[in-house]
Amino acid sequence: MSKPHIHVLALGGTIATRPDVTGAMQMGLGADDLVAAVPLLAKIADIEAETVSRVGSHSLSFDQIHALAARIRTLKADGVVVTQGTDTLEETSFLLDLLLDLEIPVIVTAAMRNPALTSPDGPGNLLAAVRVAADPWVRAHANALGVVAVMLDEVYAAADVLKVHPTRLNAFASTQTGPLAALVEDRIVPLALPVRDALVAARRRLGDAARGQASPVALLWMSLDEPGYLINALLAAPDRLGYRGAVVAAMGGGHTPERATDSVVRLATELPTVVAPRAGGGPLLEKTYGGPSSEIALRKAGLIWGGRLHPLKARILLETCLRASLDRPAIAEVFSAWN
Ligand code: ASP
């Protein structure tokens, strides 16, 4: 039986670092180096390696991920593995999922432990990602799975995966839904298929978002006694400081501190403003609490309800909506599917 053709695209990140003379880890390795470090890959697939960039994922841009999606669309491979840094994997994988509608597996992986440490996880994660990309169940369900992240022998949906620890080896989790599959011995054990109605509907509305302009979205985290000064400064500034939209990471089921609520409401009249759960997930409430800073009041005031999307994912979706020139009602419709 012929082996699947898997294309590995390397962006950079810890997985691609090497020590400089001082011992500090610097970006340096390319896709060829990553693949060469795992000879077992050749047994599983015919690998093509391509170095896209050598940057930390904390410095990646929306435009770079749009360019990556465009590159992936041109590939003739049976599966694609993207290697990058862990810092923004939860964001880039979701953006790729919004942009790509493919019948082949697209996997994003990374490393928590750099190559100079004892037992780095990069080679194992790359091997696991290629195994997932080559797996018959994954290939048969590639479109239903969408873009997935593979870290530490688990497979996560892009819409759900979160980086939940800054340094630990098991730094990734899908806290709302759990993993889609696990790697055990030489098997990929399927556990679930993701519910993707909201994502598919969003993709339909977004069309070819890649044509649009970058549209910065401010992420405003609500916390105890937040006075709203930053929002007031944004509203008073010329051109809203360059922001085209905002995500308010709200408390609990969708609440803001009462002293900041006027500012939040004014913001929503000026820019498309999405409320997302600072708790990290779980649908927001819609009709339980009354009072000026409750979900009922905020919804009535025109805040867009982000449903179960983590604030980081809501920001990715809002930027993509704005880039695609969707107006406020269309943006609200896209987000309502996540409620
Ligand atoms: N700062 C690195 C990055 O995201 C961290 C990592 O790769 O884990 O590129």
Side-chain angles (χ1 to χ4, degrees):
M1 217 171 68
S2 71
K3 287 180 285 186
H5 179 90
I6 308 294
H7 200 102
V8 176
L9 295 149
L11 303 188
T14 290
I15 193 169
T17 51
R18 60 182 170 203
D20 66 15
V21 285
T22 70
M25 299 307 289
Q26 304 281 0
M27 297 302 145
L29 304 180
D32 284 328
D33 303 307
L34 301 186
V35 169
V38 192
L40 258 181
L41 292 175
K43 289 207 160 123
I44 300 163
D46 290 326
I47 305 284
E48 190 153 337
E50 177 179 343
T51 305
V52 176
S53 58
R54 296 171 200 255
V55 296
S57 75
H58 43 274
S59 297
L60 286 169
S61 67
F62 278 89
D63 284 347
Q64 280 170 297
I65 302 303
H66 279 268
L68 178 68
R71 172 71 184 129
I72 290 173
R73 275 188 222 108
T74 67
L75 297 175
K76 297 277 178 278
D78 298 310
V80 175
V81 171
V82 175
T83 65
Q84 65 158 86
T86 60
D87 286 352
T88 57
L89 189 152
E90 59 203 314
E91 294 164 86
T92 56
S93 59
F94 184 52
L95 179 54
L96 284 175
D97 206 9
L98 288 169
L99 300 177
L100 295 172
D101 184 8
L102 301 179
E103 300 297 329
I104 58 166
V106 179
I107 321 283
V108 186
T109 193
M112 289 302 295
R113 290 171 64 80
N114 71 59
L117 294 171
T118 302
S119 64
D121 53 330
N125 283 342
L126 178 58
L127 179 61
V130 170
R131 282 177 58 202
V132 170
D135 179 73
W137 179 79
V138 173
R139 289 175 66 185
H141 294 86
N143 193 263
L145 288 162
V147 174
V148 296
V150 171
M151 292 295 287
L152 204 62
D153 287 348
E154 288 194 326
V155 180
Y156 303 105
D160 291 301
V161 68
L162 298 175
K163 185 174 180 181
V164 294
H165 197 279
T167 56
R168 239 169 34 199
L169 205 51
N170 59 339
F172 284 81
S174 287
T175 50
Q176 291 194 69
T177 57
L180 304 175
L183 288 87
V184 182
E185 298 173 335
D186 58 356
R187 292 166 289 139
I188 312 291
V189 180
L191 300 173
L193 285 172
V195 176
R196 286 169 62 75
D197 306 44
L199 188 128
V200 170
R203 239 172 10 204
R204 217 172 289 133
R205 289 306 296 256
L206 290 167
D208 188 4
R211 278 197 298 251
Q213 294 293 312
S215 305
V217 172
L219 178 51
L220 302 158
W221 209 267
M222 291 297 113
S223 51
L224 186 72
D225 209 19
E226 164 62 45
Y229 299 154
L230 260 180
I231 299 177
N232 295 345
L234 188 152
L235 287 167
D239 196 31
R240 311 288 175 247
L241 295 173
Y243 288 110
R244 299 286 169 260
V247 169
V248 172
M251 295 138 143
H255 308 139
T256 48
E258 210 156 308
R259 61 185 299 210
T261 298
D262 272 355
S263 308
V264 169
V265 167
R266 276 199 299 128
L267 181 66
T269 63
E270 297 290 330
L271 295 176
T273 303
V274 173
V275 171
R278 80 167 195 181
L284 292 170
L285 296 173
E286 294 184 356
K287 52 186 182 187
T288 299
Y289 292 99
S293 55
S294 67
E295 74 278 7
I296 292 175
L298 292 177
R299 281 165 63 77
K300 216 179 265 168
L303 275 294
I304 297 167
W305 229 230
R308 73 175 195 82
L309 279 178
H310 188 288
L312 290 175
K313 314 258 185 199
R315 181 175 167 276
I316 296 290
L317 180 57
L318 181 55
E319 206 276 353
T320 311
C321 288
L322 294 168
R323 203 180 261 262
S325 299
L326 297 194
D327 61 11
R328 202 200 158 284
I331 294 171
E333 193 188 310
V334 164
F335 276 92
S336 74
W338 258 280
N339 281 272

